[in-house]
Amino acid sequence: MKKIIYILPFILLSQLNAQSSDPEALKASSLNNRKALTQPVPANIQKYFDIAINEIEQMLKGEKPLSFKRAVYLVENAYFEGQICWDEYNNEILRIVPILNKMIDNRGIRGHKTAGNWAIFTFMSDRIPENNNNPYQYDFENFMCDTHIESGMVSRLLKTKKGTCRSLPYFYKILADEMGAEAHIALAPMHVYVKHRDEQGNWWNLEMTTGSFSRSSFIMENFNVSEAAVRSGLFMKSLSDIESVAQCINDLLVFYERKTGRYSDDFVKKCYEIGLQYFPVSLLQLVKVNDLKFRLDNKMTDMGMNNYWQIINHPELLKEFEIMHSVSEYLSEIGFTTISPEDYDRLVTELRRLQNKSESNK
């Protein structure tokens, strides 16, 4: 054992050097994030984020009914500091359900397993009297949610009928849950879509951003999905209801960072620790490694260090690095990849071109 402990720092040295950042960049990043922590989160903001994570945790523990609809509401309401009325949000969803059931009965397909899927897809995507010839559309003006993050929220979609690759599939899933139809959230880098089975039990990938079905090979190629990510279930997996609710914790932390400028503090840690209990192979691992890195960088800055190799003679910091490195290695093992904003922009530009062409041909 002594020999193993003795050689460990030398084994890690190459890993430390490989993961070292540019000293000035590391210092700047640390200073920027430390600045975000100099003031406490305003009580009126923290209150609703606490409400959201506490109720979501109760759902995951089985102490409250598991509800994707409710989890989505809690997350979005936290961002808006309690300004979203639950009754208005819920009643608009419940208003649509009888319309969908009537569409099924009028078509005489009540006995089909995919009747609910057909009704939801048609109601959301086609110009029909049931939706006043006004289907739900992709928000091409703010698809990255970089200017107005609310563009990706179901609460906004309900009011404007414009959404993104978050709000559109989320809304489909919410309606499917209300109808008792099968629908699963599936993830790709910077993308969300729906998966469900047809009458023969075959899986289909439903893109609510285009109102069409896509091949798995298309998703893998265009969204930079690795084979390892498919095998592990990080991407392109049909999420269970528990995993879908746990995924809402990832959304909660995105909104939390947007509101507070923080991606690392005790609230962030509490959230990802809860989520990872129920959804371990998830993007919450990335949240965890970013939190661990910030905490380690902070301590290094306080001690006048700016490169990871400097911690070799500090066992307590070396231990933190080992934990951070293990999470980073796990992310690599499960196939984490991402897509650049430029590539995503090109995808959406091509999508818009094809949609305009389709509409001009009608």
Side-chain angles (χ1 to χ4, degrees), residues 33 49 252-263:
N33 287 291
F49 279 95
L252 185 69
L253 292 176
V254 170
F255 297 158
Y256 183 74
E257 182 178 356
R258 184 65 70 94
K259 291 288 284 191
T260 68
R262 301 171 179 223
Y263 65 84

Side-chain angles (χ1 to χ4, degrees), residues 58-126:
Q58 288 176 312
M59 290 185 201
L60 295 171
K61 286 182 173 180
E63 297 171 357
K64 284 193 173 183
L66 193 69
S67 170
F68 183 67
K69 173 177 68 174
R70 178 70 180 175
V72 171
Y73 163 79
L74 289 166
V75 168
E76 297 182 6
N77 191 51
Y79 179 82
F80 285 111
E81 301 173 32
Q83 296 302 305
I84 301 177
C85 176
W86 164 253
D87 288 338
E88 290 181 7
Y89 166 91
N90 189 42
N91 288 341
E92 175 59 15
I93 293 166
L94 296 180
R95 179 191 69 82
I96 295 170
V97 174
I99 297 173
L100 301 175
N101 278 315
K102 187 175 181 181
M103 289 171 62
I104 292 171
D105 291 335
N106 287 344
R107 187 149 179 169
I109 56 172
R110 177 64 65 182
H112 292 264
K113 292 183 293 185
T114 57
N117 300 99
W118 167 81
I120 297 166
F121 178 79
T122 303
F123 181 82
M124 289 186 65
S125 304
D126 293 351

Side-chain angles (χ1 to χ4, degrees), residues 1-9:
M1 179 63 73
K2 288 183 179 180
K3 185 177 180 181
I4 294 175
I5 294 174
Y6 177 75
I7 67 172
L8 179 61

Side-chain angles (χ1 to χ4, degrees), residues 8-9 12 16 296 299-322:
L8 179 61
L12 283 176
L16 290 166
L296 177 57
K299 292 178 181 179
M300 289 170 59
T301 299
D302 289 342
M303 298 172 68
M305 302 179 189
N306 55 22
N307 272 290
Y308 290 129
W309 61 265
Q310 294 173 296
I311 70 176
I312 287 295
N313 296 320
H314 298 269
E316 72 285 357
L317 297 184
L318 191 59
K319 181 63 176 178
E320 290 190 32
F321 177 85
E322 291 175 37

Side-chain angles (χ1 to χ4, degrees), residues 105-156:
D105 291 335
N106 287 344
R107 187 149 179 169
I109 56 172
R110 177 64 65 182
H112 292 264
K113 292 183 293 185
T114 57
N117 300 99
W118 167 81
I120 297 166
F121 178 79
T122 303
F123 181 82
M124 289 186 65
S125 304
D126 293 351
R127 297 183 183 278
I128 56 176
E130 287 82 357
N131 62 22
N132 296 318
N133 296 307
N134 183 22
Y136 298 81
Q137 299 178 335
Y138 190 56
D139 188 353
F140 284 103
E141 303 307 318
N142 195 37
F143 58 88
M144 293 288 287
C145 296
D146 48 0
T147 304
H148 303 291
I149 195 170
E150 61 267 23
S151 296
M153 297 187 183
V154 173
S155 52
R156 179 180 183 268

